[in-house]
Amino acid sequence: MLQLLSLLAALVLSAYLQPLLLRRLGYTIGAHLRSKTLSRRKLLLARAVSEAKHLKDQATDGASSEEEWEKIDRTGSHATGDSTPEADNKDWRGIVGFLHPFCNAGGGGERVLWAAIRATQRRWPKALCVVYTGDHEVGKEQMLQRAQDRFNIELHAPNVIMLYLTARQYVLASYWPHFTLLGQSLGSLVLAYDAFSLVVPDIFIDTMGYAFSLALCKFFFPGCPTAAYVHYPTISTDMLGSLDVEPSQGRGLNAGAGKGLKGFLKRKYWDLFARLYSWVGGSVDVVMTNSSWTQSHIMQLWGPSRTTRKLKHTAEVVFPPCAVSELEDAISLDMSTEKAREPSLVYTSQFRPEKNHQLVLKSFASFLGKVKPQVQSGVQDSPRLVLIGSVRDSADETYIYSLRLLAHELHITSSVTFLLNAPWADVLSHLRTASVGINAMWNEHFGIGVVEYQAAGLISVVNDSGGPKNDIVVDLEDGPTGYHASTEEEYAEGFQKALALPPEEALAMRKRARKSSKRFDDDAFAGAWLNQMEKLVGLQMELVATHTGSTRE
């Protein structure tokens, strides 16, 4: 009996001590990383001050750019004084780390990154924004220039630091041919450790969907405020549901994959991963989602864990920034411009399989077959399809090659244009002259491209799911702003309806779409982003206040 009691006592003591030992291990590793990177931290802060001084000295007349940045308040307008509630932390000069290993990709996620950094810089001019990236072939100057060329976002260079990761390959899907979701998530732990080995930030933000990296941050640095900007949940109930539908229904890459023993095992694997993902999400201090669809799914997954851990901040929708004002200024909507529009359809997105370019090509081919008699008789000009997007790597290039082959097989090569890595000026030119904008991804998390269509006055034909359906292409009181579709036939019908509208009706729909797009402009994003950043800075300042004897800068 005594032996049994001793064993039970040992088990209870072990269960109690193990979490303490794990926490101690994490704290020890975190302390080592802080010590290891302290000299680099000091160097980066000093370099930022030096570069800012050099920039200020170069100014020959008027206020320097450095002075201008320090005068800008949270809304981007010139400050009028220190009477705002935020004045107490306006001089905060910590390091904000952004984990974004593909920051040169040129997609909507990168627009969020650069717009977030711009808003953060304007609110806290003395803060340092560190981007952990794997784009070794691109220097900071080139990176910031591309942000300006592609998104018209100008940043204060001295306070932007690019730190280059060496472990990016571990988050590539190609690195994990099996158990890809789990593999990439575990790979993000390696990536995060790589980032912390470069410099430990005061605030750590994941802007690409690597939630496991935030859990590792909390393991090493329990007091470090963390945030996730979630473009798309790594797994969702919709993904699980797609296993039971037919592939022809267009429910993503895994539609119909739940059949047989392999499907059963896949479902179990996804269920287990969803539980792990839910647990990880419970450690994030501030959660931002890019749409109501994403928020709903994230709260389903992360909500219970966050409630259990009594986190005080709920997930908030922060719509991504879109070039609404710029497009509105650049493109007029009146009867003269309506007559100048061509029967062209554009699809702006990254070239990735989930964007479903195949469906667009097939639908366009079907549509061309329907309007062929009118084109041949001269009643209608021949429509064109323009596919616009960025190319990140060899996998994207292979995907584009397969799309070109499909266009050839469909006999529409002469009517399709591929526009790769185009500067913003070229994209703008196509948005000015096109008539229809397309979105084909099932459960697109948001759809920045769709908002740009609306702001440019295009009539959108979008997938009947996700953000484009629920948040963007919605009916207004005076009528619809576009069309929804799911199948090849529905898309072809949507193309035909949009191009067949009389000029007056088409112009009225374009104006409604532009009116709807104003909900998603840069100022709206900046204000919403800074509301969340205030929480993070507040948490960081509370941490410093409770550790006044620490050696933090």
Side-chain angles (χ1 to χ4, degrees), residues 270 290 294 362 435 509:
W270 277 12
N290 64 346
T294 306
K362 292 176 182 178
S435 295
M509 185 176 288

Side-chain angles (χ1 to χ4, degrees), residues 12 103 137 139 213-214 218 235 241 266 269 280 306 415 428 533 547:
V12 171
C103 67
E137 70 283 1
S213 67
L214 300 172
K218 283 297 185 184
I235 194 166
K266 188 179 189 73
Y269 157 56
V280 166
R306 295 177 64 77
S415 300
L428 184 62
M533 277 298 301
H547 296 82

Side-chain angles (χ1 to χ4, degrees), residues 246-301:
E246 294 299 322
S248 59
Q249 295 184 27
R251 296 279 299 276
L253 301 178
N254 290 283
K259 298 178 181 178
L261 177 61
K262 184 177 179 180
F264 172 79
L265 295 175
K266 188 179 189 73
R267 188 187 307 279
K268 290 298 181 183
Y269 157 56
W270 277 12
D271 283 336
L272 290 173
F273 180 80
R275 295 181 185 180
L276 184 59
Y277 184 63
S278 300
W279 176 79
V280 166
S283 68
V284 186
D285 291 308
V286 172
V287 179
M288 294 168 271
T289 66
N290 64 346
S291 69
S292 59
W293 182 92
T294 306
Q295 182 195 41
S296 173
H297 285 75
I298 281 295
M299 289 310 297
Q300 288 180 26
L301 292 162

